[in-house]
Amino acid sequence: SLLLPVIAYAQEAETNETDHSYKPMTVKLDESGQKYIRFITWHQIWAEDGNLDDDDQGFTMRIRRSRFLAYAQISPRFLILTHFGLNSLTGSNADPIGDSRASDGPQLFLHGAWTEFKVSTNETLYVGAGLHYWNGLSRLTSASTLNFMTLDNYRQAWAQLGLSDQFARHLGIYAKGRFGALNYSVAVNEPIVNALGSTSEPAPNTITYSGRQLLGKDAGMIVTGYFDYQFMDQESNKLPYRVGSYLGKKKVFNIGAGFFNHTDGTVTADATGNLSGNNVTHFSVDAFYDAPLGEGAINAYAAYYNFDYGENYNLGTTYGTGSSVYAHAGYLFPEFSEKFRLMPYLAYSTRDFEAFEEAGNTFQLGANFFLNGHNAKITLEYSSTLSNYTGAEPDRVNGLVLQTHIFL
């Protein structure tokens, strides 16, 4: 008789199981749900060894991203969005009291702040302004950090990060919309003054990304855009963040093309110190496929980039005038466990820059362990990178990262 209450409780729990599926954090402002405030927060924590061949390095911890985003609509005619957070906090750059003024450590800063208005009666035209993420060039240039298929984004896809923008976000005006299956976004942006590698006194015979700093308004505005034709399921364009993988929930096949232009963005100093501006012009073409496959799902992406920052421009091996090819593919296995789903993947990229005699490349092998889709996952990735070089070939750098990722 003492066990009867326990048995009754267990039976009740079995018939009234808690629903642990993801529900968006949304505050409804009316009964219809069309007026709302949506909140999103996420953390990506890394345990990483950037060089497995260096016995002195070992694993270190990194907060790769810690973000908070909110957007709201009380009318379909306008939207407001705010996004802030930090990136890449480590034991080496953390400040004892979290004071960004006292160190070079990353601290909270504004990632996005824009307003948007619906101009047309259908979905053909929306116009917005502010610190925005409606980037041109490629799908990955506006990738969502919530649902990468790989561990992280392809670095060269953010071809202007820190050169003309604040961490892949520009201050400017954008237009977006769709005509049938053709999705588009275009923007006119103001470049930042204090770009990576910029200088007020360039050395003779050098090229730097110092157009706005040295030439002022003569450096011109930025014009950028991306267009993709969506052959199968249509993706949402409410926000700019492009999905990495739908995990079999959609059937998507897109072919896209994009461009970026910044008049006199870089500056060349000749042997006598005379300055001349160089137009920065990039373009890309890409293709994205994500669909169910049997009881699982497949994801594939490929892109070609052509970068022109001016003759022989490079900032280390991160940026450079030249070209790049990137591709990845992954397969989500059918569900074989109630605890997680498995998605292994491969990625390969090349970077061929004018400033180096030999091209660089990176190979990545990884796996996602989905505990609750992209809302709770663990990713393990091995990478092997050969840097661009001139002369003797350098050793490849092999790294390993274990990431925990949760977003709500």
Side-chain angles (χ1 to χ4, degrees):
S1 61
L2 293 175
L3 293 177
L4 289 178
V6 177
I7 295 173
Y9 176 80
Q11 290 175 339
E12 181 181 357
E14 185 176 347
T15 57
N16 296 284
E17 292 184 0
T18 302
D19 181 3
H20 294 292
S21 62
Y22 172 66
K23 298 294 189 299
M25 294 193 297
T26 303
V27 177
K28 296 181 180 179
L29 303 179
D30 69 350
E31 294 182 356
S32 72
Q34 296 182 7
K35 299 180 180 182
Y36 62 89
I37 304 173
R38 171 80 186 278
F39 301 99
I40 304 174
T41 184
W42 65 104
H43 297 318
Q44 293 167 341
I45 314 299
W46 286 10
E48 62 175 326
D49 189 335
N51 190 344
L52 295 170
D53 300 316
D54 184 351
D55 295 334
D56 296 329
Q57 182 163 319
F59 278 87
T60 59
M61 298 300 299
R62 178 188 301 270
I63 298 180
R64 179 65 183 90
R65 294 180 181 88
S66 178
R67 306 281 187 83
F68 184 87
L69 185 151
Y71 64 94
Q73 282 193 277
I74 61 170
S75 164
R77 297 177 59 194
F78 55 88
L79 174 147
I80 185 171
L81 182 144
T82 303
H83 176 194
F84 61 87
L86 64 76
N87 306 280
S88 295
L89 182 69
T90 68
S92 299
N93 60 28
D95 186 81
I97 58 173
D99 188 351
S100 61
R101 298 169 299 175
S103 71
D104 294 327
Q107 301 297 327
L108 290 173
F109 68 92
L110 196 63
H111 283 70
W114 70 81
T115 55
E116 179 181 284
F117 299 88
K118 187 174 184 179
V119 177
S120 61
T121 56
N122 50 25
E123 294 188 337
T124 58
L125 179 60
Y126 297 79
V127 175
L131 182 65
H132 67 87
Y133 193 61
W134 290 97
N135 294 323
L137 197 55
S138 76
R139 181 186 184 90
L140 290 189
T141 314
S142 289
S144 167
T145 63
L146 297 178
N147 43 47
F148 290 140
M149 198 282 289
T150 56
L151 173 77
D152 212 317
N153 203 24
Y154 179 51
R155 183 62 181 82
Q156 274 64 46
W158 284 318
Q160 292 297 127
L161 192 152
L163 296 179
S164 63
D165 60 33
Q166 176 168 286
F167 217 82
R169 283 84 178 171
H170 281 100
L171 274 168
I173 300 171
Y174 68 86
K176 65 156 190 180
R178 68 172 77 245
F179 295 92
L182 178 65
N183 188 70
Y184 77 91
S185 68
V186 292
V188 178
N189 303 316
E190 183 175 4
I192 63 173
V193 174
N194 302 308
L196 291 173
S198 64
T199 177
S200 59
E201 296 182 6
N205 297 316
T206 62
I207 177 172
T208 60
Y209 212 112
S210 304
R212 180 48 67 99
Q213 188 175 104
L214 297 176
L215 305 177
K217 295 295 184 180
D218 290 340
M221 300 290 280
I222 293 163
V223 180
T224 186
Y226 180 69
F227 308 81
D228 62 336
Y229 194 87
Q230 304 183 356
F231 291 91
M232 296 180 178
D233 290 350
Q234 302 299 292
E235 298 184 272
S236 170
N237 67 350
K238 176 180 284 292
L239 301 179
Y241 313 108
R242 305 305 293 265
V243 170
S245 173
Y246 288 101
L247 306 181
K249 295 178 181 179
K250 277 181 174 288
K251 190 173 184 179
V252 177
F253 176 51
N254 302 346
I255 293 179
F259 71 94
F260 175 95
N261 180 263
H262 182 188
T263 304
D264 289 339
T266 61
V267 173
T268 298
D270 64 18
T272 60
N274 294 319
L275 304 180
S276 59
N278 311 287
N279 294 341
V280 176
T281 304
H282 314 315
F283 69 86
S284 80
V285 291
D286 61 5
F288 175 72
Y289 183 70
D290 189 272
L293 183 63
E295 296 298 318
I298 190 171
N299 177 281
Y301 178 80
Y304 168 79
Y305 297 90
N306 184 277
F307 307 115
D308 186 355
Y309 300 93
E311 185 176 359
N312 284 325
Y313 175 86
N314 74 289
L315 186 64
T317 59
T318 303
Y319 303 111
T321 294
S323 63
S324 174
V325 175
Y326 172 84
H328 73 227
Y331 177 68
L332 177 67
F333 279 98
E335 188 170 353
F336 60 87
S337 169
E338 296 180 354
K339 301 298 183 182
F340 70 93
R341 296 194 71 181
L342 175 65
M343 187 175 195
Y345 62 83
L346 294 170
Y348 183 76
S349 57
T350 64
R351 296 163 298 282
D352 189 3
F353 297 157
E354 284 182 358
F356 302 92
E357 291 180 356
E358 303 295 336
N361 62 74
T362 298
F363 170 79
Q364 298 157 258
L365 172 64
N368 293 303
F369 301 86
F370 297 106
L371 308 182
N372 191 0
H374 286 294
N375 297 104
K377 68 181 179 182
I378 297 171
T379 302
L380 180 66
E381 182 180 286
Y382 166 81
S383 64
S384 180
T385 298
L386 175 67
S387 295
N388 300 65
Y389 66 96
T390 298
E393 180 176 332
D395 293 333
R396 298 190 73 90
V397 176
N398 305 305
L400 188 67
V401 177
L402 176 67
Q403 172 184 264
T404 62
H405 161 105
I406 292 179
F407 93 80
L408 299 175

